Amino acid sequence: MDDNWTEAGGGRGHTKSESSDRAMQENGIDSDIDFSDEEDFVDDITDEELLGDLLAKKPKETDGIDSVIVVDNIPSVGVERLEKLQNVIRKIFSKFGKIVNEHYPKGEDGSTKGYIFLEYSSPNNAAEAVKMTNGYKLDRQHTFAVNLFSDFEKYSDVEDDWEPPEAQPFKDPGNLHSWLTQEDCLDQYSVIYDGGERTAILLNNPTEPSLLEERARWTETYVRWSPKGTYLATFHGKGIALWGGEKFKQIMRYSHTGVQLIDFSPCERYVVTFSPLPDNKEEPQAIIIWDIRTGKKKRGFHCENASVWPIFKWSSSGEYFCRSGPDSLSIYETPSFGLLDKKSMKISNIKDFSWSPSDNILSYWVPEDGNIPARVTLIEIPSRRDLSTKNLFNVADCKMHWQKNGDYLGVKVDRYTKIRREKDSNKYSGLYHNFELFRIREKQIPVDKLEIKEPISAFAWEPNGHRFAFLHGENPRISLSVYVMEPKGKVVLVKTLEKKTANHLFWSPQGQFLVMAGLRSMNGVLEFIDTTDMTVMAQTEHFMATDVEWDPTGRYVSSAVSWWGHKVDNAYWIWSFQGKLLQKHPMDRFCQLLWRPKPASLLTTDMIKEIKRNMKKYSAQFELKDRMSQSKASKELIEKRRELIASFEAYRSKCEQMFAETLDWRMDARAGMGEDEDEDDLADETIEFLVKVEETVIDE
Amino acid sequence: MKPIMLHGHERSITQIKYNREGDLLFSAAKDAQPNVWYTLNGERLGSFKGHNGAVWCIDVNWDTSRFLSGAADNSLRLWDCETGSTISEVTTNTAVRSCQFSYSGKQLMFTTDKTMGHPCEIHIYDVNSFSEPVAIMPVHGPKVTSAIWGPMDNMIITGHENGDLCQWDLATGDNTKVVQEHSKQINDIQMTKDQSMIITASKDTTAKLFDVRTLEKMKTYKTERPVNSAAISPIKPHVVLGGGQEAMDVTTTSTKIGKFDARFFHIVLEDEFGRVKGHFGPINSVAFHPDGKGYSSGGEDGYVRVHNKFDESYFQFEFEY
């Protein structure tokens, strides 16, 4: 504490007592009267009892101290420049309230010591000043460090023998990848049924799935797998929980009341949760980003009025995540969770954006604005360098589709010939369509154009390849076309299949095979297509199917009638990739089937080539294994059947015995004619059969 | 296996029954006239005229001398099989839902619906004196949707609206046992010839096999559609199930998957091994011929399809075990 300060305080106290003496005299009170206690008087009343209410109001030494702030790191100046400094300081700090007292401690040479004390008229002003000016940059050398005077005590009271908090013991969740060590590399899937009451994890065997885990009320709404399949997320009123490891134990909980939607970062480091409950102004919590492993909240965001989930889109590596505002694109970086380069990108009227699934490349598009054409732009993050821009005219809408490897970006552009501007929206007519196809891997990113006259209802890239497929035309004349991206700017039609019933396309994760489905309103028509020669391998139906999903290896396809979409015949069926129906699983109020994703293969392309070359050797091994497991299964089945029949026969023989015992009663009941033995009693009856009808015309 | 189609009813079939010898088949429908047919050629032998409402249930006694029918006109009639004339009639407060002769044929049982403020009741009558009931047992709780006599004529087994299966002791008139294995209404109960097991058909899309005395569930036969009727073969370890989507839901379900088939299951293994197509509406009643070589089904489409003899492959087929 500063010496001068205490002096000043003491001085003030002295003045006070003098003035009170004077007041007593003025009131004509004789000071000679002796008020002292009698000698044997014992004071048995404490002051507290006598005037407790007044004592409580007694001014304390620390009163007013709350209104004092200490500003450190101010320039040290000599006497001649003191006034100038004071003016600057007053200008900065009087914004927060009236400064009733200021003190500039000085050194022996009269120059200031580089820190000052300021007293406000109220503690609120002081607190506000600390909040706003701490870290204030006066100039390059001087950044203010501002504290409440009362905080000194708090900080000086830290005990000498303070110990850092103990590190929490590491909880070992076990091997989270244990499910990948399954011997036959069988895939898992989750199933919700009983109208959402029960959730099960099953292992997809070629013949019959085996149950791994089943729990009642595991989730309140639905479940989601993380992108690499490590975690299973369940939803609850209070937040979400992640499960994993060998026994599906709970790994972590993230408390977010009313959570409805979640999104994992592709690297499985973070999870984004969204709750539609009223937000807290001070501390945004509509959207929360969590660190999956520590369970710590990394940052909260306001929802504002975004309507499409995910609001935040992650870059493939999980380094960046991004949201668009009405006129800006905000890119955040991990692990700081701050804005990249501390500012959003100004892009007026940005409509939509999308990350490349493999690189730190972002695509976005903006609509036309007066004479400025609409444009699709690719930028590189974090440099924000424009890689490519494509100007487009007469654009009604754009949809961006990245190929899974990030080799191509297909933009479906809806264009108009006429436009009618109305109050809130534009009415377009004479729509036609075309694709703008960006070749990301080629120099300067050339763009090919493909024009389609008919409306396009579905579009999908082959995940590992150069083909893309789309459905065009209107019901009942829907066609499927498959094109291939050939080098040197050629986009070649493979084939068009006409008159199909379909509204969805599902490529195998391995490419080549394609399932074309007419879901929901189209009754669940399924067609399995090999796109190398466009043969339709199977044309079939899962009536009223609502969902189709490939397993992560591209060997199986599941089709499902979910209770959420259709109330009867809820079931999931499993097909081979060629469209052969393998298993049917009707389930009461079945809701959802989700295949557990797999992380990318660790094999290099050379190793995969090597395996493909030796395919014959492997396939022989696998076939042998399949045969063995099948014969084992049929042997088990037969044994089980034998057991069932034996126990049933034992029961039957008891029944027969009982039946024999009641013979007397039965004979009695039906007057001796109850049994079949009375065959002689039967009477013969003649029954006519119509053998044939002949019509003969008789001459009249 | 070509069936004989019996088209003698104007509305959907409610119940069919063979007589003990299997030469005659009785059928009832939502029109007011039960019919009797020769099973061998499908010729109609006669009709029972008298009811004024849908006939819900019928039965014939063991020597085919008497015929019983209960109807929505709040009456139960006892007929002379030979002449087709009404012998006696009981008027009830509500519709008669199920009826049956006892094993001896000396008594009969029927149940009434719980409607219009009247409770559901089980009535027992003596066949020869209709003036007074032998017993009336009121059923509290969910109404009876199907009922049969138990073994030795000393108990009644009832299936209820909520899926309950109950035993009633006739000596005391008490409900002695309740099991709930079905989650929805039990539409039909049929017993094996040796009076040891019963099969129940339920709207919950399953049929189940029970021990008749303990009501212990032994087997479950699963389908995807409400089961309206189920029967046990007298000679083979087979059961047949008939049912289908209710008319109101038909448009939302696939017709291609053949949900109106009669479906054959192995009684022990619970595996389905065969289907018979034909009806174009749900099957409401199935019955095995007493010789076990054929069966019949009656459907919502108003037809009775009589299959007198299964194909040879039916008799040759055996499960591997």
Side-chain angles (χ1 to χ4, degrees), chain B residues 146-159:
Chain B
S146 56
I148 57 164
W149 286 87
M152 312 272 287
D153 290 353
N154 58 11
M155 64 164 96
I156 303 281
I157 294 150
T158 54

Side-chain angles (χ1 to χ4, degrees), chain A residues 541-544 566 568-569 573 584 586 634 637-638 640-642 644-649 651-652 655-656 658-659 662 665-678 682 685-690, chain B residues 20-21 23 38 40-41 43 45 62 102-106 151-153 192-197 209-213 218-219 224-225 245 249 251-257 259 266-269 271 319-321:
Chain A
E541 180 193 81
H542 183 178
F543 190 73
M544 280 308 191
H566 192 70
V568 291
D569 284 336
W573 293 1
K584 278 189 189 184
S634 67
L637 179 73
I638 284 178
K640 200 178 137 208
R641 281 179 172 181
R642 265 191 204 140
L644 284 173
I645 300 255
S647 70
F648 191 74
E649 271 170 0
Y651 165 78
R652 290 299 301 157
C655 289
E656 274 160 30
M658 210 183 290
F659 188 58
T662 58
W665 177 84
R666 276 181 285 127
M667 294 301 276
D668 191 38
R670 287 188 176 176
M673 303 212 289
E675 300 305 305
D676 288 335
E677 297 94 63
D678 48 11
L682 297 182
E685 214 166 322
T686 318
I687 295 176
E688 291 171 359
F689 282 90
L690 186 67
Chain B
R20 187 172 63 103
E21 289 81 9
D23 60 330
Y38 283 115
L40 220 51
N41 61 359
E43 191 189 323
L45 188 59
W62 65 276
S102 71
Y103 181 83
S104 65
K106 287 172 190 156
M152 312 272 287
D153 290 353
T192 50
K193 211 180 153 200
D194 67 359
Q195 305 187 337
S196 60
M197 300 183 290
L209 190 72
F210 293 86
D211 180 273
V212 74
R213 290 178 179 81
M218 298 192 297
K219 301 287 170 191
E224 306 82 42
R225 290 286 177 271
Q245 200 60 49
D249 296 328
T251 50
T252 61
T253 53
S254 175
T255 48
K256 283 187 195 165
I257 317 169
K259 301 295 185 185
H266 192 279
I267 196 166
V268 186
L269 306 176
D271 287 329
F319 269 90
E320 199 185 330
Y321 61 88

Side-chain angles (χ1 to χ4, degrees), chain B residues 173-240:
Chain B
D174 288 339
N175 180 351
T176 51
K177 198 168 272 175
V178 183
V179 291
Q180 177 148 35
E181 291 285 352
H182 284 294
S183 57
K184 285 181 186 159
Q185 173 174 324
I186 297 178
N187 288 320
D188 185 32
I189 309 176
Q190 295 195 25
M191 192 155 55
T192 50
K193 211 180 153 200
D194 67 359
Q195 305 187 337
S196 60
M197 300 183 290
I198 52 169
I199 189 165
T200 55
S202 166
K203 204 178 164 186
D204 70 2
T205 76
T206 63
K208 293 184 178 184
L209 190 72
F210 293 86
D211 180 273
V212 74
R213 290 178 179 81
T214 62
L215 292 191
E216 183 193 339
K217 186 201 82 181
M218 298 192 297
K219 301 287 170 191
T220 303
Y221 313 99
K222 287 181 195 152
T223 74
E224 306 82 42
R225 290 286 177 271
V227 184
N228 294 331
S229 185
I232 304 167
S233 165
I235 56 165
K236 299 280 262 176
H238 299 161
V239 296
V240 61

Side-chain angles (χ1 to χ4, degrees), chain A residues 58-119:
Chain A
K58 183 178 161 188
K60 293 186 203 82
E61 205 174 315
T62 53
D63 276 359
I65 230 174
D66 285 340
S67 313
V68 179
I69 61 169
V70 187
V71 185
D72 211 338
N73 279 345
I74 62 164
S76 175
V77 295
V79 188
E80 66 284 357
R81 292 179 61 201
L82 179 61
E83 197 170 328
K84 200 179 168 196
L85 175 70
Q86 282 175 330
N87 283 336
V88 172
I89 295 288
R90 271 185 213 125
K91 203 176 157 194
I92 296 168
F93 287 93
S94 56
K95 275 186 280 192
F96 309 105
K98 201 182 157 205
I99 299 172
V100 294
N101 202 350
E102 51 181 48
H103 178 71
Y104 288 75
K106 296 179 191 73
E108 281 169 8
D109 58 349
S111 61
T112 58
K113 281 187 170 175
Y115 55 87
I116 57 165
F117 300 89
L118 298 174
E119 185 178 355

